[in-house]
Structure formats: C-alpha cells, structure tokens
Amino acid sequence: MRKLFVGVAGPVAVILLSISAMGSAAAQSFPSRPITLIVPAAAGGPTDAVSRLVAESMGRTLGQQIVVENVGGAGGTIGMTRVAKSPADGYMVTVWHIAQATAPSLYDNLRYNVIDDFDSIGRIADVPMTIVGKSGLEPKTAKDLIDWIKQKKAAVTYAHAGIGSASHLCAIMFMSAIDTQMTALSYRGTGPAMSDLLGGHFDMMCDQTTTTTAQIKDAKIKGYAATTKERLKILPDLPTLDEAGLKNFEVAAWHAMWAPKGLPADVQKKLSDALQTALKDPKVIERLAALGIEPVKPEQATPEALSAHLKAEVAKWSPVIQASGAKAN
C-alpha cells in the first residue's frame, strides 16, 4: 500500500508544482494583453472622467492599454454584476464610487456581495459635493437656507440624478441632519437636473463639484456650502456645512478601483502599484484639480485601506437609507 501511495502521490505532486509554477509565471508576465476597465455609468460623467484619467496613466506603467467600457444602468449594478462574475485574472477591473457602499441598502435582490465578491485595488479620489440653489432663491447664507427649509418643509423642491446617485445620497443625508423632509424631483443624470436648476424649475440640490463649480463661479446658481470638513481650494469662499452649524457633516462621492474576487496576490500588487503611480502623476493631478478633485493620500489608496473604508461606508449609509425609506427598482 505504501508503494502504491508513493506511486500515485509522486505524479500528483509534480502536477501541483507545475500548476503553481504556471500561476507564478502568469502573474510575473501580467499583463500580457489589454485590460478592460468597466465604468458602471454613462460616458461623459464624473466617474467616466476619473476612470479615463487613471486608466491612461496606469496603462503606461503596466505597458498595456486599459480599455474603458461604459456599462450603465440600474444604478451601476449591471456593470458591477458583470465584474463580480468575471474571471479573477486581473484583465477586468472597475472604477465605481460611493454607490458600492449604498447598493446593499437600496437593492433587495442584489446579485453580488459588495464586500465578499470583489478584491480591492485602491481608493482614487474623494469628489467634493456642494449645496446649491437656483439664482433667485431667497436665503443668502447656508444657515439661512437651513432655517428656510425647516420653515417651508415639503414646499421646498430638490433634484437628484436618480435613486442611489451621489446627489440623491447627499440630499437624504442633508435632510436627516436637519430633520426635515423636502420634495424630491428625480432626473436621469445631473446634466438635465443642472439645466433645470439654471432655469429655476426647482429650488436646490446637492451635487459634485465637477458639475457645480463653473456655474457657482459664473454666478448662474447660488453656492451655499461644501459638504467637506474643510473649505475647497477651488471654491475658497464657499463655507462648509460644519460652519453653518451641521457639525461633522461630510459627504464625498469617493471613487475607487476593484477587481473580481480571487486575484493572485502578485497581480493585485501590480495593479495597486500602478494605481498609486497614477495618483502621483502630475498630469493626472492637474486634470483632476480642474474638476475640483484631489487624489487621496498614498496610505488611503492601498487595497487594505479601501477594504476598511468600504466596510465603514456600508455601516454609515445603511441606517440613513433605511430611515429615508429609499429603494431602487
């Protein structure tokens, strides 16, 4: 029996060693072909812009093209489902944002687990958000705005870019903070919403600096406050909501990169290192700054930091969304 066991184990051991060697060689040669980067949103939006900037720089570092593919729909869940079900070989990654943390609370039949079905590559940037109003809105300051909303309540109208969008999440957090509900108007994207705000068709909204900065600077809309801890470099005269009395209020449409669960450790490291290199790229920094965005600090861009951040964000948003009663179809 002992001789038979050794006779069988020998070839098995050789096969296992061969498979291990093949896996190691594959990781060392990665990437040997173009990588696909899924953006779970339409082209032309903030996430698309961030993704293309990062992809271009990472591609140079890795020596392979990173092809951006937009797979929008269902609040990003269609694109993220595709990534979750793809091979974990490093040839498909995704850049998505805060919606990764809020999807479990918004969707009852989510086809993936936002934590367990993805490997983290790294956080990219925190996109600041602003509270803005139509040009003729009565309140003059952020504090005036809060007092006015508390008085007018549901008579105040606000817009968002769809259930689960960053503008929607910011609004429900804001309403929770001031303990007052306004009347929502849902749009298919921030572009149409901004057009109607410029036309004075509703009172206010909370949206990313990528959409609001130019309009605030040109005085086409009223800028009331930033949702960050500190004032924005691109809009230094805009106070924070903390300054207006909403202590510790902070909402950012953060963006990050993930891959399907099960990446070889060497592949994950190559992707993460390339991402960190991109976040130090002067061209990337300059072009992000033009959108009012700053890359996160190096220690926040690691896989470990992103995993911890995602878990914290899921815990943060779950009670807020549940209390609001918001659900996506």
Side-chain angles (χ1 to χ4, degrees):
M1 289 294 292
R2 181 175 299 174
K3 290 182 179 180
L4 178 61
F5 177 78
V6 171
V8 173
V12 170
V14 170
I15 291 170
L16 290 175
L17 285 171
S18 298
I19 292 173
S20 176
M22 288 170 61
S24 177
Q28 289 174 9
S29 63
F30 175 85
S32 59
R33 54 187 170 89
I35 297 168
T36 298
L37 192 163
I38 298 294
V39 177
T47 305
D48 184 63
V50 170
S51 300
R52 291 178 187 277
L53 282 174
V54 169
E56 183 182 354
S57 181
M58 287 181 66
R60 290 196 300 270
T61 300
L62 293 168
Q64 283 287 348
Q65 183 183 12
I66 299 182
V67 181
V68 175
E69 182 178 344
N70 297 89
V71 184
T77 60
I78 294 175
M80 294 307 286
T81 298
R82 177 174 166 186
V83 175
K85 307 302 181 185
S86 296
D89 54 11
Y91 288 100
M92 180 172 287
V93 296
T94 182
V95 170
W96 198 215
H97 55 43
I98 189 173
Q100 181 75 343
T102 59
S105 298
L106 289 169
Y107 293 86
D108 290 330
N109 298 305
L110 205 60
R111 295 177 58 198
Y112 54 87
N113 185 295
V114 298
I115 294 172
D116 296 338
D117 289 344
F118 299 89
D119 274 335
S120 296
I121 304 302
R123 192 156 136 214
I124 298 170
D126 294 339
V127 184
M129 304 194 72
T130 53
I131 301 289
V132 297
K134 62 183 180 182
S135 62
L137 202 61
E138 179 184 335
K140 290 183 171 58
T141 67
K143 187 177 184 309
D144 291 342
L145 178 68
I146 293 170
D147 292 341
W148 180 77
I149 293 171
K150 288 183 176 181
Q151 179 187 357
K152 298 287 186 180
K153 298 182 171 61
V156 181
T157 53
Y158 77 94
H160 60 72
I163 300 295
S165 65
S167 54
H168 173 243
L169 297 170
C170 180
I172 63 175
M173 181 70 84
F174 178 67
M175 290 187 292
S176 175
I178 64 175
D179 195 25
T180 306
Q181 293 297 308
M182 301 178 285
T183 298
L185 299 175
S186 182
Y187 286 77
R188 291 186 176 182
T190 53
M194 178 56 71
S195 294
D196 274 7
L197 182 63
L198 290 167
H201 298 298
F202 58 86
D203 294 319
M204 59 168 292
M205 69 177 180
C206 177
D207 202 13
Q208 300 174 58
T209 51
T210 49
T211 306
T212 63
T213 298
Q215 310 293 358
I216 293 172
K217 287 186 172 183
D218 293 341
K220 293 181 178 179
I221 59 175
K222 279 191 172 183
Y224 283 102
T227 65
T228 48
K229 288 183 179 179
E230 299 177 355
R231 292 197 179 197
L232 305 175
K233 292 179 181 178
I234 199 167
L235 294 167
D237 295 330
L238 197 67
T240 66
L241 280 174
D242 189 272
E243 292 176 64
L246 294 186
K247 297 303 180 184
N248 300 315
F249 188 99
E250 184 177 18
V251 177
W254 54 271
H255 290 71
M257 180 176 286
W258 290 272
K261 188 70 174 182
L263 278 185
D266 289 352
V267 172
Q268 184 181 33
K269 186 176 189 308
K270 281 190 175 183
L271 289 169
S272 181
D273 287 351
L275 175 60
Q276 293 226 18
T277 298
L279 299 184
K280 298 171 187 173
D281 185 332
K283 180 180 178 181
V284 172
I285 294 172
E286 179 184 356
R287 292 177 67 181
L288 286 177
L291 299 172
I293 304 171
E294 290 186 25
V296 297
K297 297 176 182 178
E299 62 269 22
Q300 295 175 315
T302 66
E304 297 77 16
L306 173 55
S307 295
H309 181 69
L310 177 59
K311 290 177 182 177
E313 286 285 282
V314 170
K316 169 185 173 180
W317 282 102
S318 178
V320 175
I321 293 172
Q322 289 177 10
S324 75
K327 281 292 179 183
N329 296 323

